[in-house]
Amino acid sequence: MSKRIVCKFGGSSVADANQFKKIKAIIESDSNRKIIVVSAPGKRTSKETKLTDLLYSTYDLASKGLDFSTPWKLICDRYLEICADLNIAPKIKDDLNALEQKMISSPETLTTDFLVSRGEYLCAKIMAEYLNATFVDTFPIICFDDKYRVTTKSYSDIASALKDESKVYVLPGFYGSNLHGEVKTFSRGGSDITGAILANAIEAEKYENWTDVSGMLMADPRIVERPMPIEYVSYREIRELAYSGASVLHDESIAPCRAKNIPINIRNTNKPEDPGTIIGPTPKTVKHPITGVAGRKGFSMIYIEKTMMNKEIGFGRRVLAVLENEGLSYELCPSAIDSMSVVVDSKALYAVQETVLEDITQQMRPDRIKVFPGISLIATVGHGMTDKIGVAAKLFTALAENSINVRIIDQGSSQINIIIGVEESDTEKAINAIYKAFIS
Ligand code: ASP
């Protein structure tokens, strides 16, 4: 396996020339840091708009033939300012001029994905120039099939494009190409996925994801006061935590690294001395039974009750088939002897609720069917909970002591997570209660 490290720098890490300088120092401090992936410049102050969002606004206006000069000027000024502050020739001026001409003369030839992808493209060009590194565009080497999956061939194309182990390469994150030869972006925050795909393709030693926080915390700091940092979290734990709202990394960036056991290290560009969080393959011996607790609002529970349900073969499958027909995926499906509940995303349910309830009623003839909206799912996650007696007792005692009514209980058979459903208004209280019960 190669010793090379893939480093992805997020929007805040490339927000201005000063951040570029920090990146240079980081790259120079470890000669294995050879593959650099960048996002588009992010906000410098909370009032500013991210360049990607300015590009979306520009596209909206240009595609309608409207005056796009306000957001466009902010974009051009930002890139040119970075070049000037870094003392490098503003070669990207030609790209900016060509884009502007295109938006004026033939806006119909532009696609949203193409225009917004220029945020990363231009940033990578400046970074390559500044680091005196080789720029490699991701457009021809990351290709999506018709189901929006990255093709197998992309991995070998990436490996051969980045094969010279002595070189430092800079690549734009966030996009690739589709089968029609057009730019196609990942979902928002997708530069994380680009970095993970590159790490997989070159079998990197490590995938460093540089951002503006020193790794993950055991709970959301907006909810719990000064939560402890997470030094190490396994791929499985992070999936559970990320799903439940702990966001630090795009959740689709885990799988490519997990497939090759490549550790992901979340690092802080502004505090490179901090070790950050490692996301890796093996569960570690832990100090606390829980690795983290996270919660997410916005769920609804479809509750179905029918006497003798347990004897009716295929009941569950047919209920889920109704959801499948409406394109609705479910999150949890706790069941009892004569009842089952299906927890779904409230927004997704809203659009098809009437049909779903009608179809279940017609096909299953339940004694009762009701939707309970406003549910929050809270995941308590940790390999340390496995085979540990008293974990559930501690968790539910803490909730009871805080007068929190538990609507749903689900413990994965792996025992690394306990998911509870509570009223949305109890979310913050429940997360605090659980955190305090385990971390004292
Ligand atoms: N610039 C893109 C976004 O804002 C992708 C990224 O930053 O990862 O979503």
Side-chain angles (χ1 to χ4, degrees):
M1 198 187 258
S2 112
K3 286 263 168 274
R4 287 189 290 175
I5 299 172
V6 172
C7 303
K8 178 258 165 177
F9 291 92
S12 59
S13 302
V14 291
D16 61 23
N18 201 29
Q19 295 300 84
F20 273 60
K21 289 177 188 164
K22 290 181 191 169
I23 292 178
K24 188 167 197 225
I26 289 167
I27 303 302
E28 286 173 356
S29 67
D30 186 336
S31 59
N32 292 323
R33 293 184 173 132
K34 296 281 198 217
I35 317 281
I36 319 301
V37 178
V38 290
S39 286
K43 300 175 184 192
R44 290 171 293 189
T45 61
S46 56
K47 286 196 193 85
E48 223 171 24
T49 311
K50 216 176 162 176
L51 273 200
T52 306
D53 294 310
L54 289 173
L55 283 159
Y56 276 110
S57 311
T58 306
Y59 178 81
D60 271 354
L61 296 166
S63 61
K64 292 179 191 127
L66 300 172
D67 175 16
F68 57 83
S69 59
T70 308
W72 182 242
K73 185 170 181 321
L74 293 171
I75 294 166
C76 297
D77 286 353
R78 180 84 83 87
Y79 284 119
L80 295 173
E81 189 181 322
I82 293 175
C83 292
D85 291 348
L86 292 175
N87 256 326
I88 57 172
K91 292 189 187 157
I92 49 131
K93 234 181 185 164
D94 293 343
D95 292 288
L96 292 169
N97 287 340
L99 281 172
E100 189 172 323
Q101 277 319 309
K102 222 172 175 185
M103 285 191 284
I104 293 167
S105 58
S106 51
E108 70 290 348
T109 61
L110 287 173
T111 65
T112 324
D113 283 18
F114 170 75
L115 195 66
V116 299
S117 73
R118 297 306 86 185
E120 272 68 14
Y121 173 85
L122 294 169
C123 185
K125 280 204 141 177
I126 300 173
M127 184 65 79
E129 172 91 13
Y130 177 58
L131 296 178
N132 206 5
T134 306
F135 171 84
V136 174
D137 195 2
T138 32
F139 175 77
I141 52 175
I142 295 187
C143 303
F144 298 99
D145 66 14
D146 54 356
K147 295 212 168 74
Y148 192 39
R149 287 174 309 213
V150 174
T151 61
T152 319
K153 185 174 172 291
S154 301
Y155 290 86
S156 48
D157 287 348
I158 294 166
S160 64
L162 307 178
K163 68 173 179 296
D164 187 341
E165 299 207 2
S166 66
K167 277 190 177 164
V168 173
Y169 294 102
V170 179
L171 299 96
F174 191 38
Y175 68 92
S177 55
N178 64 16
L179 290 173
H180 312 289
E182 296 156 340
V183 167
K184 179 83 198 132
T185 60
F186 287 102
S187 53
R188 293 302 302 267
S191 301
D192 284 346
I193 314 174
T194 309
I197 288 171
L198 301 186
N200 175 306
I202 66 144
E203 309 210 328
E205 174 83 357
K206 197 173 11 162
Y207 172 29
E208 289 180 345
N209 193 287
W210 292 84
T211 170
D212 55 1
V213 289
S214 294
M216 291 182 66
L217 299 169
M218 290 182 76
D220 187 334
R222 290 166 302 184
I223 298 176
V224 172
E225 212 185 309
R226 301 210 296 129
M228 304 218 337
I230 300 179
E231 284 164 34
Y232 186 94
V233 56
S234 74
Y235 297 131
R236 281 175 62 200
E237 289 171 324
I238 190 96
R239 273 287 299 144
E240 306 279 351
L241 286 170
Y243 167 78
S244 310
S247 77
V248 63
L249 188 73
H250 197 298
D251 59 358
E252 286 171 48
S253 51
I254 306 295
C257 292
R258 189 174 180 171
K260 296 226 170 127
N261 280 344
I262 300 165
I264 306 169
N265 189 187
I266 313 286
R267 299 288 292 265
N268 189 346
T269 304
N270 307 317
K271 284 190 177 172
E273 64 284 2
D274 287 356
T277 300
I278 304 260
I279 305 165
T282 40
K284 285 261 160 87
T285 341
V286 279
K287 275 193 243 136
H288 310 286
I290 70 162
T291 301
V293 49
R296 188 142 73 98
K297 297 180 181 176
F299 294 101
S300 294
M301 179 168 71
I302 308 170
Y303 174 78
I304 307 154
E305 198 180 294
K306 188 174 185 187
T307 310
M308 303 301 284
M309 177 191 282
N310 63 323
K311 295 274 188 259
E312 202 172 316
I313 292 171
F315 192 96
R317 182 185 51 75
R318 283 181 285 139
V319 168
L320 296 180
V322 170
L323 267 59
E324 185 182 354
N325 287 342
E326 294 307 318
L328 200 60
S329 71
Y330 74 97
E331 314 294 328
L332 295 177
C333 185
S335 69
I337 308 297
D338 283 345
S339 71
M340 73 182 272
S341 304
V342 190
V343 181
V344 294
D345 182 271
S346 297
K347 276 203 205 102
L349 175 66
Y350 189 69
V352 291
Q353 180 164 325
E354 226 171 279
T355 322
V356 166
L357 296 191
E358 246 175 57
D359 288 358
I360 296 178
T361 307
Q362 260 184 24
Q363 294 178 35
M364 320 305 301
R365 303 267 165 227
D367 300 332
R368 187 169 171 231
I369 178 163
K370 191 168 164 48
V371 173
F372 295 93
I375 303 268
S376 197
L377 293 180
I378 295 172
T380 305
V381 178
H383 285 288
M385 300 196 300
T386 312
D387 295 331
K388 194 154 183 131
I389 292 164
V391 168
K394 204 177 215 179
L395 191 147
F396 290 107
T397 306
L399 295 171
E401 280 169 357
N402 284 276
S403 319
I404 297 162
N405 181 27
V406 179
R407 305 286 302 267
I408 301 161
I409 303 174
D410 185 285
Q411 179 176 26
S413 49
S414 63
Q415 298 182 53
I416 76 155
N417 64 347
I418 297 175
I419 297 178
I420 55 154
V422 298
E423 300 287 339
E424 281 180 347
S425 54
D426 279 336
T427 314
E428 288 77 12
K429 202 159 55 148
I431 291 176
N432 262 301
I434 296 170
Y435 180 85
K436 287 191 185 118
F438 289 98
I439 314 295
S440 44

